[in-house]
Amino acid sequence: MNPYLGSALLLWLFFTLIFLVAQVLRNNSIVDSFWGPAFLLVALYTFTVMKDPGPRSTVLTLLVTLWSLRLFFYISVRNWNKPEDFRYVDMRRRWGTKLPRLKAYLNVFVLQGVFAYIVALPIMATNTSSIQSLGILSYAGIAIWVMGFLFESVGDAQLKAFKAKPENKGKIMSTGLWAYTRHPNYFGEALMWWGIFLISFTGLSDLPSLISPVFMNYLLRYVSGVPLLERKYKNREDFQEYAKRTPIFIPWFPKA
């Protein structure tokens, strides 16, 4: 089977299975935990069907594995035994009572599968390519990926440590990486996909994969990441003060 078609089929089956589990648990937000593993599934599938895996596909698959597993365990532990995330509760409210499960399946699970397929294009391109040597762009991509991984993982760790202290309950995190960007974890994730694209890029034939980092950047900055949290806290005075001095996405020195 064509690896691109096989990846699409695997993602559909994967998110359909997660949907069925979510209906049993009555919690659609469990899909967040499986965002990362969806890419791991694509990476491992396309890697194993390669006739002769080389350094470029090996490195890329390892990076995707590291990112996806860290994200899976971080989100799963964070959300364990917690009620459905406010975003999915709002969705239920907007959908009303008519065919809520079908709407959840199409608007959450199938849609995430489509998004994952688009973002995973550089993975499929690399793991089906005959060019497997690591060039200058590959090493630049690895460096950018590492920077993004550090922003996401360190930002998440700092936020977790901050929330673990009782005296910080209800407060806004504004130290560490959070002093330079209001969303270091989202910025880090976007950066990683720019790195993955550079690793995958070997010539003009790979240019269509540019949609992956552009699309992920757009999703995080303008659709499902930053805007949802910004709206959640926008009426709080402490957040308004924090927003005045701290860049919303791309890190920079805070205003005095």
Side-chain angles (χ1 to χ4, degrees):
M1 181 182 291
N2 180 287
Y4 285 86
L5 180 59
S7 296
L9 180 60
L10 278 175
L11 286 172
W12 174 66
L13 291 172
F14 179 74
F15 280 104
T16 297
L17 176 61
I18 303 305
F19 164 75
L20 295 174
V21 174
Q23 302 321 294
V24 173
L25 298 177
R26 297 184 180 180
N27 186 345
N28 288 330
S29 62
I30 68 165
V31 72
D32 291 344
S33 293
F34 295 95
W35 174 248
F39 294 93
L40 178 57
L41 184 68
V42 172
L44 293 179
Y45 164 68
T46 53
F47 184 81
T48 54
V49 298
M50 285 190 73
K51 292 182 179 179
D52 189 19
R56 203 160 59 89
S57 60
T58 301
V59 167
L60 188 64
T61 300
L62 287 174
L63 294 182
V64 172
T65 301
L66 178 60
W67 165 76
S68 65
L69 291 179
R70 189 210 73 86
L71 191 63
F72 169 74
F73 285 111
Y74 174 77
I75 295 177
S76 297
V77 170
R78 184 191 66 186
N79 294 346
W80 187 257
N81 279 336
K82 289 185 178 179
E84 191 173 45
D85 186 272
F86 75 95
R87 295 169 297 162
Y88 298 93
V89 174
D90 287 343
M91 289 180 194
R92 288 180 187 275
R93 190 178 298 115
R94 292 197 304 270
W95 293 336
T97 58
K98 189 175 181 179
L99 300 175
R101 290 185 175 178
L102 178 60
K103 291 176 181 177
Y105 178 62
L106 296 176
N107 295 327
V108 175
F109 297 87
V110 171
L111 189 61
Q112 284 217 23
V114 173
F115 286 176
Y117 186 87
I118 293 171
V119 177
L121 284 173
I123 301 173
M124 293 179 260
T126 301
N127 287 353
T128 57
S129 174
S130 60
I131 303 174
Q132 286 296 314
S133 58
L134 292 168
I136 294 176
L137 282 181
S138 300
Y139 289 111
I142 293 170
I144 290 172
W145 184 93
V146 169
M147 186 182 302
F149 184 78
L150 289 174
F151 258 92
E152 184 177 64
S153 56
V154 172
D156 282 341
Q158 289 176 341
L159 183 61
K160 182 179 179 180
F162 178 82
K163 288 184 173 182
K165 297 179 180 179
E167 63 269 26
N168 291 331
K169 186 176 181 180
K171 294 183 179 179
I172 296 293
M173 173 75 172
S174 60
T175 56
L177 292 178
W178 300 81
Y180 301 95
T181 166
R182 304 205 292 271
H183 304 278
N185 46 358
Y186 289 146
F187 170 76
E189 182 155 344
L191 201 60
M192 278 189 282
W193 287 101
W194 283 104
I196 286 174
F197 167 71
L198 286 179
I199 296 170
S200 75
F201 189 78
T202 59
L204 292 178
S205 61
D206 293 318
L207 204 54
S209 293
L210 180 61
I211 191 176
S212 167
V214 171
F215 185 64
M216 176 60 89
N217 214 109
Y218 178 77
L219 280 180
L220 292 170
R221 175 62 182 85
Y222 298 105
V223 181
S224 64
V226 172
L228 293 177
L229 289 177
E230 292 284 313
R231 285 198 297 270
K232 182 179 180 181
Y233 296 108
K234 68 178 182 179
N235 294 323
R236 289 180 48 166
E237 290 186 10
D238 54 349
F239 182 78
Q240 292 169 4
E241 289 300 316
Y242 171 56
K244 287 179 182 179
R245 65 177 184 271
T246 310
I248 188 171
F249 193 67
I250 299 176
W252 193 247
F253 296 101
K255 296 178 182 178

